[in-house]
Amino acid sequence: MTDSKVLLFYKFAPLADPLAVKMWQKALGEKLGLRGRVLISKDGINGTLGGTVQACKAYVKELKSYPPFAGVDMKWSEGSGIGEDGFSRDFPRLSVKVRDEIVAFGAPGELKVGPDGVIGGGIHVKPDEVENLIHDNPDLVFFDGRNKVEWEIGRFEGAIVPDTTTTHDFIAELESGKFDDIKDTPILTYCTGGIRCEVLSALMKNRGFTQVYQLDGGIVRYGEKFGNSGRWQGSLTVFDNREVVDFEGEAAKLATCHTCGAAAGRLHNCDEPSCRTRVPVCEDCLSKPAYCDEHAALAV
């Protein structure tokens, strides 16, 4: 089996011709035999791709040769291998699309992006700066920028977890009034690789939150630095066939298995064919049918 890698990356930068960038990215991915998803908008690029080590290295080199993407932060992780067809086992195909937003909050006209990235977002905090931030701000709260199924299996200790099924739900949550009591409290937003917090922190500031920070590089960079010994607890949801990853050894199991009720740290697609919801399951139930709350009656 050929060694494989998964790349996770984004770069906010104004793009004059997103369609031309799409055509370049599609051709490049096909040439290198990569699979995964790449989204492009007038505000930049957001992607996760898998392939051989050599193909991933070649991709990164060419991506960074394009001036708007020169400073892109590439997050590397181990893939599940290369199949007999020569492609990554972690993705079914290569998809490259142009969208209004490279992360879909439903606010394309609100986000402002310049050559240096998002304008008016939160203050970036590197993983090794988190403890100093807490020391200087004892009332600091962690604010999860992901969706319910993600924070169910892994989250920062004591984090606020908004009631969101999709990223589109965040604006309604922020405007609901339920977080008005922390508008003047120091807030550290976090998400998988950092991109959702780039947007979320700006949306929060636009709605009156006054002390907003964002975890630079997201949970991925924090986990690389601290493993299971820091404030992160549980497993990290990823959006490829691996479903979840752990930073080291045995991670805490925070969720409840939808099949048997045991402690769970893995995910399973709802077995109702038309449903795209993922639900937490334990290791013993990974191969058993599992259903989301909406389709739970089918399990009878």
Side-chain angles (χ1 to χ4, degrees), residues 57-80:
K57 286 181 176 179
Y59 175 82
V60 173
K61 182 178 180 180
E62 186 154 346
L63 184 73
K64 289 186 174 183
S65 71
Y66 182 54
F69 301 152
V72 64
D73 176 23
M74 279 288 173
K75 301 169 183 72
W76 295 71
S77 60
E78 294 294 329
S80 302

mmCIF file of all heavy atoms in Angstrom, residues 57-80:
data_model
loop_
_atom_site.group_PDB
_atom_site.id
_atom_site.type_symbol
_atom_site.label_atom_id
_atom_site.label_comp_id
_atom_site.label_asym_id
_atom_site.label_seq_id
_atom_site.Cartn_x
_atom_site.Cartn_y
_atom_site.Cartn_z
ATOM 1 N N LYS A 57 2.662 16.700 -2.027
ATOM 2 C CA LYS A 57 3.775 17.642 -2.029
ATOM 3 C C LYS A 57 3.782 18.481 -3.305
ATOM 4 O O LYS A 57 4.010 19.695 -3.264
ATOM 5 C CB LYS A 57 5.103 16.894 -1.900
ATOM 6 C CG LYS A 57 5.368 16.343 -0.512
ATOM 7 C CD LYS A 57 6.717 15.641 -0.455
ATOM 8 C CE LYS A 57 7.044 15.155 0.948
ATOM 9 N NZ LYS A 57 8.345 14.441 1.000
ATOM 10 N N ALA A 58 3.512 17.838 -4.439
ATOM 11 C CA ALA A 58 3.484 18.564 -5.712
ATOM 12 C C ALA A 58 2.343 19.564 -5.735
ATOM 13 O O ALA A 58 2.484 20.687 -6.251
ATOM 14 C CB ALA A 58 3.356 17.573 -6.869
ATOM 15 N N TYR A 59 1.208 19.178 -5.150
ATOM 16 C CA TYR A 59 0.064 20.085 -5.107
ATOM 17 C C TYR A 59 0.384 21.325 -4.280
ATOM 18 O O TYR A 59 0.113 22.452 -4.699
ATOM 19 C CB TYR A 59 -1.164 19.376 -4.533
ATOM 20 C CG TYR A 59 -2.342 20.302 -4.355
ATOM 21 C CD1 TYR A 59 -3.169 20.606 -5.427
ATOM 22 C CD2 TYR A 59 -2.593 20.913 -3.126
ATOM 23 C CE1 TYR A 59 -4.233 21.483 -5.287
ATOM 24 C CE2 TYR A 59 -3.657 21.790 -2.975
ATOM 25 C CZ TYR A 59 -4.459 22.076 -4.051
ATOM 26 O OH TYR A 59 -5.495 22.960 -3.908
ATOM 27 N N VAL A 60 0.947 21.117 -3.094
ATOM 28 C CA VAL A 60 1.267 22.241 -2.219
ATOM 29 C C VAL A 60 2.238 23.193 -2.898
ATOM 30 O O VAL A 60 2.075 24.426 -2.836
ATOM 31 C CB VAL A 60 1.846 21.741 -0.881
ATOM 32 C CG1 VAL A 60 2.350 22.907 -0.038
ATOM 33 C CG2 VAL A 60 0.798 20.952 -0.108
ATOM 34 N N LYS A 61 3.232 22.653 -3.558
ATOM 35 C CA LYS A 61 4.224 23.490 -4.241
ATOM 36 C C LYS A 61 3.566 24.368 -5.296
ATOM 37 O O LYS A 61 3.840 25.574 -5.387
ATOM 38 C CB LYS A 61 5.303 22.619 -4.867
ATOM 39 C CG LYS A 61 6.405 23.407 -5.556
ATOM 40 C CD LYS A 61 7.479 22.488 -6.111
ATOM 41 C CE LYS A 61 8.584 23.283 -6.790
ATOM 42 N NZ LYS A 61 9.643 22.381 -7.339
ATOM 43 N N GLU A 62 2.675 23.771 -6.100
ATOM 44 C CA GLU A 62 2.044 24.561 -7.159
ATOM 45 C C GLU A 62 1.031 25.553 -6.600
ATOM 46 O O GLU A 62 0.921 26.680 -7.086
ATOM 47 C CB GLU A 62 1.379 23.648 -8.189
ATOM 48 C CG GLU A 62 0.836 24.430 -9.379
ATOM 49 C CD GLU A 62 0.740 23.610 -10.647
ATOM 50 O OE1 GLU A 62 1.323 22.504 -10.706
ATOM 51 O OE2 GLU A 62 0.086 24.089 -11.587
ATOM 52 N N LEU A 63 0.283 25.143 -5.569
ATOM 53 C CA LEU A 63 -0.690 26.056 -4.973
ATOM 54 C C LEU A 63 0.007 27.307 -4.446
ATOM 55 O O LEU A 63 -0.452 28.436 -4.656
ATOM 56 C CB LEU A 63 -1.443 25.367 -3.834
ATOM 57 C CG LEU A 63 -2.556 26.196 -3.179
ATOM 58 C CD1 LEU A 63 -3.758 26.309 -4.109
ATOM 59 C CD2 LEU A 63 -2.978 25.579 -1.840
ATOM 60 N N LYS A 64 1.122 27.118 -3.749
ATOM 61 C CA LYS A 64 1.828 28.245 -3.153
ATOM 62 C C LYS A 64 2.551 29.115 -4.182
ATOM 63 O O LYS A 64 2.962 30.235 -3.868
ATOM 64 C CB LYS A 64 2.829 27.743 -2.106
ATOM 65 C CG LYS A 64 2.169 27.200 -0.857
ATOM 66 C CD LYS A 64 3.195 26.850 0.220
ATOM 67 C CE LYS A 64 2.516 26.455 1.510
ATOM 68 N NZ LYS A 64 3.495 26.170 2.595
ATOM 69 N N SER A 65 2.669 28.613 -5.399
ATOM 70 C CA SER A 65 3.303 29.413 -6.449
ATOM 71 C C SER A 65 2.377 30.510 -6.962
ATOM 72 O O SER A 65 2.818 31.445 -7.633
ATOM 73 C CB SER A 65 3.723 28.519 -7.621
ATOM 74 O OG SER A 65 2.590 28.056 -8.349
ATOM 75 N N TYR A 66 1.081 30.406 -6.653
ATOM 76 C CA TYR A 66 0.097 31.417 -7.049
ATOM 77 C C TYR A 66 0.089 32.489 -5.964
ATOM 78 O O TYR A 66 -0.248 32.200 -4.797
ATOM 79 C CB TYR A 66 -1.273 30.757 -7.197
ATOM 80 C CG TYR A 66 -2.375 31.669 -7.647
ATOM 81 C CD1 TYR A 66 -2.266 32.433 -8.809
ATOM 82 C CD2 TYR A 66 -3.569 31.758 -6.919
ATOM 83 C CE1 TYR A 66 -3.291 33.259 -9.229
ATOM 84 C CE2 TYR A 66 -4.603 32.580 -7.329
ATOM 85 C CZ TYR A 66 -4.458 33.327 -8.487
ATOM 86 O OH TYR A 66 -5.477 34.147 -8.895
ATOM 87 N N PRO A 67 0.467 33.726 -6.260
ATOM 88 C CA PRO A 67 0.681 34.745 -5.224
ATOM 89 C C PRO A 67 -0.426 34.890 -4.173
ATOM 90 O O PRO A 67 -0.115 34.975 -2.981
ATOM 91 C CB PRO A 67 0.882 36.026 -6.042
ATOM 92 C CG PRO A 67 1.525 35.543 -7.302
ATOM 93 C CD PRO A 67 0.844 34.230 -7.604
ATOM 94 N N PRO A 68 -1.729 34.903 -4.535
ATOM 95 C CA PRO A 68 -2.744 35.049 -3.483
ATOM 96 C C PRO A 68 -2.732 33.908 -2.459
ATOM 97 O O PRO A 68 -3.202 34.080 -1.343
ATOM 98 C CB PRO A 68 -4.060 35.058 -4.270
ATOM 99 C CG PRO A 68 -3.687 35.546 -5.627
ATOM 100 C CD PRO A 68 -2.338 34.953 -5.889
ATOM 101 N N PHE A 69 -2.199 32.734 -2.839
ATOM 102 C CA PHE A 69 -2.202 31.579 -1.950
ATOM 103 C C PHE A 69 -0.817 31.266 -1.375
ATOM 104 O O PHE A 69 -0.626 30.222 -0.743
ATOM 105 C CB PHE A 69 -2.728 30.340 -2.686
ATOM 106 C CG PHE A 69 -4.121 30.486 -3.238
ATOM 107 C CD1 PHE A 69 -4.517 29.766 -4.361
ATOM 108 C CD2 PHE A 69 -5.042 31.344 -2.656
ATOM 109 C CE1 PHE A 69 -5.796 29.885 -4.879
ATOM 110 C CE2 PHE A 69 -6.327 31.484 -3.165
ATOM 111 C CZ PHE A 69 -6.706 30.750 -4.282
ATOM 112 N N ALA A 70 0.124 32.166 -1.567
ATOM 113 C CA ALA A 70 1.511 31.885 -1.168
ATOM 114 C C ALA A 70 1.639 31.584 0.322
ATOM 115 O O ALA A 70 2.446 30.750 0.726
ATOM 116 C CB ALA A 70 2.408 33.068 -1.534
ATOM 117 N N GLY A 71 0.838 32.231 1.156
ATOM 118 C CA GLY A 71 0.964 32.052 2.599
ATOM 119 C C GLY A 71 0.019 31.027 3.188
ATOM 120 O O GLY A 71 -0.177 30.995 4.413
ATOM 121 N N VAL A 72 -0.550 30.150 2.373
ATOM 122 C CA VAL A 72 -1.528 29.189 2.861
ATOM 123 C C VAL A 72 -0.905 28.269 3.910
ATOM 124 O O VAL A 72 0.247 27.837 3.788
ATOM 125 C CB VAL A 72 -2.109 28.361 1.692
ATOM 126 C CG1 VAL A 72 -1.047 27.508 1.018
ATOM 127 C CG2 VAL A 72 -3.283 27.505 2.161
ATOM 128 N N ASP A 73 -1.675 27.997 4.964
ATOM 129 C CA ASP A 73 -1.225 27.113 6.046
ATOM 130 C C ASP A 73 -1.752 25.714 5.762
ATOM 131 O O ASP A 73 -2.954 25.464 5.851
ATOM 132 C CB ASP A 73 -1.756 27.636 7.387
ATOM 133 C CG ASP A 73 -1.401 26.720 8.550
ATOM 134 O OD1 ASP A 73 -0.427 25.960 8.429
ATOM 135 O OD2 ASP A 73 -2.106 26.771 9.571
ATOM 136 N N MET A 74 -0.854 24.794 5.424
ATOM 137 C CA MET A 74 -1.242 23.429 5.098
ATOM 138 C C MET A 74 -1.206 22.537 6.329
ATOM 139 O O MET A 74 -0.185 22.448 7.008
ATOM 140 C CB MET A 74 -0.300 22.853 4.035
ATOM 141 C CG MET A 74 -0.625 23.267 2.640
ATOM 142 S SD MET A 74 -2.132 22.414 2.080
ATOM 143 C CE MET A 74 -2.375 23.258 0.513
ATOM 144 N N LYS A 75 -2.314 21.878 6.595
ATOM 145 C CA LYS A 75 -2.383 20.933 7.701
ATOM 146 C C LYS A 75 -2.365 19.521 7.115
ATOM 147 O O LYS A 75 -3.245 19.155 6.348
ATOM 148 C CB LYS A 75 -3.645 21.181 8.530
ATOM 149 C CG LYS A 75 -3.687 22.599 9.097
ATOM 150 C CD LYS A 75 -5.039 22.935 9.686
ATOM 151 C CE LYS A 75 -5.069 24.376 10.177
ATOM 152 N NZ LYS A 75 -5.102 25.350 9.043
ATOM 153 N N TRP A 76 -1.358 18.745 7.500
ATOM 154 C CA TRP A 76 -1.174 17.395 6.979
ATOM 155 C C TRP A 76 -1.631 16.376 8.013
ATOM 156 O O TRP A 76 -1.393 16.536 9.205
ATOM 157 C CB TRP A 76 0.300 17.139 6.675
ATOM 158 C CG TRP A 76 0.896 17.966 5.591
ATOM 159 C CD1 TRP A 76 1.181 19.298 5.616
ATOM 160 C CD2 TRP A 76 1.324 17.499 4.308
ATOM 161 N NE1 TRP A 76 1.743 19.693 4.427
ATOM 162 C CE2 TRP A 76 1.863 18.611 3.605
ATOM 163 C CE3 TRP A 76 1.316 16.255 3.685
ATOM 164 C CZ2 TRP A 76 2.379 18.503 2.321
ATOM 165 C CZ3 TRP A 76 1.841 16.140 2.406
ATOM 166 C CH2 TRP A 76 2.358 17.265 1.735
ATOM 167 N N SER A 77 -2.268 15.307 7.562
ATOM 168 C CA SER A 77 -2.586 14.198 8.449
ATOM 169 C C SER A 77 -2.479 12.886 7.677
ATOM 170 O O SER A 77 -2.428 12.875 6.448
ATOM 171 C CB SER A 77 -3.984 14.357 9.056
ATOM 172 O OG SER A 77 -4.978 14.401 8.052
ATOM 173 N N GLU A 78 -2.437 11.781 8.433
ATOM 174 C CA GLU A 78 -2.314 10.472 7.807
ATOM 175 C C GLU A 78 -3.620 10.077 7.138
ATOM 176 O O GLU A 78 -4.698 10.204 7.729
ATOM 177 C CB GLU A 78 -1.944 9.418 8.854
ATOM 178 C CG GLU A 78 -0.568 9.606 9.471
ATOM 179 C CD GLU A 78 0.556 9.422 8.472
ATOM 180 O OE1 GLU A 78 0.383 8.611 7.520
ATOM 181 O OE2 GLU A 78 1.601 10.079 8.632
ATOM 182 N N GLY A 79 -3.531 9.604 5.912
ATOM 183 C CA GLY A 79 -4.702 9.095 5.223
ATOM 184 C C GLY A 79 -4.908 7.618 5.498
ATOM 185 O O GLY A 79 -4.118 6.980 6.209
ATOM 186 N N SER A 80 -5.974 7.070 4.929
ATOM 187 C CA SER A 80 -6.302 5.653 5.139
ATOM 188 C C SER A 80 -5.661 4.738 4.112
ATOM 189 O O SER A 80 -5.880 3.530 4.143
ATOM 190 C CB SER A 80 -7.828 5.463 5.097
ATOM 191 O OG SER A 80 -8.455 6.249 6.076
#
